[in-house]
Amino acid sequence: MPLGIVVGGFFGDEGKGKIAAYLALKDKPAAAVRCGAVNAGHTVVYNGRVWKLRVVPSFFVNPSTRLMVAPGALVRLDVLFREVEETGVRGRFLVDANTGVIEDRHVEEERRSAHLSGRIGSTLQGVGAAMADRVLRKLKLARDYPELRGMLGDVALEVNEALDRGELVYIEGTQGTFLSLYHGTYPYVTSRDTTASAFASEVGVGPRRVDEVIVVFKSYVTRVGGGPLPGEIPPKEAERRGWLERASVTGRLRRAAPFNFDLARRAVMLNSASQAAVTKLDILFPEARGVREWERLPREARAWVEEVESQLGIPVTLIGTGEGAFDVVDRRRDLGLEW
Ligand code: IMP
Ligand code: MG
C-alpha cells in the first residue's frame, strides 16, 4: 500500500481539508501527517459540524487513522491542545519530538514588522519569525515542553515502518504551490517550501517512497495578502460569481481570479503531480451541487473537467461538489487508479 501527498496547486485555500477528509473516510488510511504551520487553516465539514484545523490533520474524521504532526511543522501549544480536545483524538495523536513551537514573542515580532503586515500581508501567526529562529537554531522544539509528554514520538520512523508493513499513509500539505518560498511569487510567499517534495522532507520520507501526489485546485483561484494574481477580478464581480471568500485564520477577504491553466500546469510540474482534485465545481456549475456520480454532472461541467485534464496531462480523480466531506465525485475506480 502506498504513500500519497495532498498538496495545494494555487495560493492555498483550494479545499485541501475537504479532500483530505474525503480520502480519510473513503480510503481509511492507517496514518496521516499534518505539515506546515498554524498560519494554514484547513476546513472540514462532516456530521453537521465545521472544523477549522491548524494543527490536527483533516484526516481525523476516520476514527482508525493515527494522526501525526511532522518534525518540519510548527505548532502553537494553545492551538494544539484546543484542537486535540475539540476533535477528541487524544490517544491516536502524535507530535514529533522535533516539531517546532511558536511562542508569543514570535507573533509580537511579526506584528511589529511593517514589511510583513503591510507589504507581504502575512497572517501574523508568528510562523516566519519562528522559522527564522529555527534556522538560527534558537527555536524550542516539542521535546522541550513537559506538557507534551505522552504525545511525543518519532514520526519519520512511524511513517516509514507503516509503509514497510504495507499500510496506506497520507501526508497533508498546506498552503499552495505559489506561496512556496522557493517556487512561488517571492517575496509574496510564506516562510517554507510548499511543494510535495518539501512535505515529504518535513515528514522524513525520501522521494522514492512517494506513490501518488494529489494536487488540489479550486475551480477558480483565490489569494489573501499581497502579490500578483493574474486575471484578478474586482470584489464586486467576485461576489456576483459567488467567489468571494473569507480567510479561515485571519477572516480577511480573499482576492479572486478565474481558474488559471498556466499556473495549474506549472503546479503539476513542480509537484510531479500524478492526479488532480478540483473543488467547488458547484460554484462554476450550480447544477453540479451535491452530485456524487460523474454521469450525473451537467454536461458542461464534465466538458470543463475534461478540458482541465487535457491541458494538465493528468487525470482529475476527485471533484468537489459541496462543502460536506462526502460531496465528491470520485473517479478513481473508473480510471483504474484505485489503491
Ligand atoms: P505568512 O506565511 O503568514 O507570513 O503569510 C505570507 C503570505 O502567505 C501572505 O500572503 C498570507 O496570506 C499567505 N498565506 C500563509 N498561509 C496561508 C494559508 O494557509 N492560506 C492562504 N494564504 C496563506
Ligand atoms: Mg486555508
Side-chain angles (χ1 to χ4, degrees):
M1 285 287 251
L3 171 65
I5 302 183
V6 176
V7 64
F10 287 141
F11 298 93
D13 310 310
E14 301 92 354
K16 291 177 294 297
K18 180 236 167 62
I19 293 297
Y22 174 79
L23 290 170
L25 296 167
K26 187 76 197 339
D27 296 1
K28 301 184 172 37
V33 193
R34 172 68 137 87
C35 296
V38 293
N39 45 359
H42 290 181
T43 303
V44 173
V45 180
Y46 179 58
N47 266 350
R49 273 198 67 176
V50 181
W51 282 274
K52 294 192 183 288
L53 300 166
R54 300 161 64 190
V55 172
V56 169
S58 305
F59 288 86
F60 86 94
V61 292
N62 177 51
S64 66
T65 300
R66 282 177 287 127
L67 307 167
M68 305 180 197
V69 178
L74 296 177
V75 297
R76 273 188 67 104
L77 293 192
D78 55 346
V79 178
L80 182 152
F81 285 115
R82 197 188 320 131
E83 288 187 8
V84 166
E85 292 320 313
E86 278 174 9
T87 54
V89 298
R90 197 183 274 267
R92 60 178 174 112
F93 177 78
L94 200 68
V95 180
D96 194 274
N98 288 341
T99 299
V101 176
I102 301 166
E103 296 176 47
D104 289 340
R105 62 188 173 84
H106 296 118
V107 178
E108 285 152 21
E109 186 182 328
E110 292 199 345
R111 287 201 185 131
R112 282 196 303 270
S113 162
H115 173 68
L116 282 180
S117 62
R119 182 160 181 236
I120 305 301
S122 167
T123 63
L124 303 177
Q125 297 299 305
V127 180
M131 282 298 275
D133 270 1
R134 188 166 196 161
V135 172
L136 296 171
R137 281 134 299 162
K138 299 192 296 195
L139 187 68
K140 286 202 200 152
L141 305 182
R143 65 186 188 212
D144 299 318
Y145 290 85
E147 57 268 53
L148 287 174
R149 289 269 153 73
M151 279 189 189
L152 295 186
D154 182 340
V155 168
L157 186 69
E158 293 279 341
V159 167
N160 281 281
E161 286 186 346
L163 295 170
D164 289 342
R165 287 193 299 270
E167 295 175 352
L168 174 62
V169 180
Y170 277 111
I171 293 175
E172 182 173 337
T174 56
Q175 289 126 345
T177 298
F178 299 101
L179 289 177
S180 164
L181 185 59
Y182 305 150
H183 305 290
T185 54
Y186 187 91
Y188 303 100
V189 294
T190 191
S191 47
R192 68 181 64 234
D193 183 13
T194 54
T195 60
S197 316
F199 295 127
S201 161
E202 281 190 32
V203 172
V205 289
R208 291 198 304 133
R209 290 224 88 146
V210 181
D211 298 282
E212 294 286 339
V213 175
I214 304 171
V215 62
V216 183
F217 300 110
K218 192 157 56 184
S219 65
Y220 49 96
V221 185
T222 57
R223 104 172 272 178
V224 278
L229 178 58
E232 182 170 5
I233 59 172
K236 270 236 143 42
E237 176 60 14
E239 188 170 19
R240 199 186 63 76
R241 298 186 191 188
W243 296 2
L244 207 60
E245 301 177 359
R246 262 182 207 285
S248 68
V249 174
T250 58
R252 290 180 293 178
L253 277 180
R254 292 178 183 152
R255 300 155 61 197
F259 189 92
N260 188 308
F261 288 95
D262 294 330
L263 289 180
R265 260 192 305 270
R266 190 167 173 83
V268 169
M269 176 186 84
L270 290 169
N271 292 292
S272 296
S274 54
Q275 35 179 309
V278 176
T279 62
K280 296 207 174 190
L281 192 69
D282 56 305
I283 305 293
L284 289 196
F285 303 95
E287 283 136 82
R289 187 153 184 87
V291 172
R292 295 177 186 183
E293 284 152 63
W294 174 249
E295 290 74 25
R296 298 225 169 134
L297 286 173
R299 194 145 41 87
E300 325 80 78
R302 276 181 280 153
W304 186 80
V305 170
E306 282 166 351
E307 172 68 10
V308 171
E309 286 184 322
S310 85
Q311 292 235 14
L312 303 190
I314 57 170
V316 174
T317 51
L318 302 167
I319 300 164
T321 57
E323 290 85 19
F326 276 120
D327 290 331
V328 169
V329 174
D330 184 346
R331 300 172 69 214
R332 291 179 297 171
R333 176 172 295 178
D334 292 345
L335 297 169
L337 289 167
E338 267 190 326
W339 289 129

